[in-house]
Amino acid sequence: QSAKTAPAVPFQHLPGRCGFGDCLLASQKVTVEGFGEAIQLSDLVIGSKVLCSDSLADDTKYVEVTGLEVFTSKSPCVAIKLEDGSSLQMTTDHPLEASTESKTRVLHAGQLQPDDVISCFRKVGLKVADVAEQDVEERCYASVSVKQPERY
């Protein structure tokens, strides 16, 4: 089932929400099962399956989207540049699994360091090249809920 054919459920646009964290910019792209190209988070629909890190299996897995909120906020944000030249932007408190040569741990995005390796919306780990705090300004964020959130 692709994002384009999943039943359309409108998202909620909630101004000023992001104090609870775990948010990505709504323009960030996500890998969706059965869909050829990554799509923007704001284009997801309930029932789509997105690629997530599985903390129990130590792998990635497609997981069903059960909720989506898109909203504007002035939350602190970081831009993470990866070794392949791609970049991600998210709130500083977004949790990510990061690995070094000696250990794997869950960090907030604002705690990442160059050379940490993350696996985010992909099946391969990429080394962090740079982490830069962004000016606090009004941005459009997306918060995605999935089945078994304690696992993914």
Side-chain angles (χ1 to χ4, degrees):
Q1 181 179 34
S2 75
K4 297 257 188 229
T5 61
V9 176
F11 59 76
Q12 298 177 19
H13 189 304
L14 305 171
R17 283 274 311 271
C18 209
F20 57 87
D22 202 9
C23 301
L24 299 166
L25 271 94
S27 60
Q28 291 293 179
K29 296 199 173 191
V30 62
T31 302
V32 179
E33 184 178 52
F35 200 72
E37 296 181 17
I39 66 169
Q40 287 189 9
L41 285 170
S42 59
D43 292 336
L44 279 176
V45 294
I46 305 299
S48 300
K49 289 187 176 183
V50 296
L51 191 62
C52 295
S53 294
D54 184 341
S55 63
L56 294 180
D58 195 27
D59 197 7
T60 54
K61 187 177 195 178
Y62 287 101
V63 182
E64 184 178 339
V65 173
T66 59
L68 174 68
E69 293 178 314
V70 177
F71 49 89
T72 55
S73 174
K74 287 188 176 183
S75 297
C77 182
V78 293
I80 301 165
K81 185 175 180 179
L82 301 174
E83 66 181 330
D84 69 350
S86 63
S87 64
L88 302 166
Q89 287 185 295
M90 60 193 71
T91 55
T92 57
D93 56 357
H94 183 81
L96 293 167
E97 189 174 275
S99 301
T100 61
E101 290 182 15
S102 60
K103 63 181 174 178
T104 298
R105 68 226 184 273
V106 175
L107 296 175
H108 290 130
Q111 297 173 307
L112 286 172
Q113 297 294 315
D115 295 329
D116 283 339
V117 175
I118 62 173
S119 182
C120 188
F121 302 126
R122 301 187 175 133
K123 289 195 176 263
V124 296
L126 290 172
K127 194 177 285 188
V128 173
D130 186 50
V131 180
E133 287 196 29
Q134 304 292 291
D135 291 335
V136 176
E137 61 184 53
E138 195 81 12
R139 290 184 175 87
C140 189
Y141 290 96
S143 180
V144 179
S145 301
V146 297
K147 281 189 176 180
Q148 295 182 303
E150 67 284 353
R151 181 174 179 168
Y152 300 99

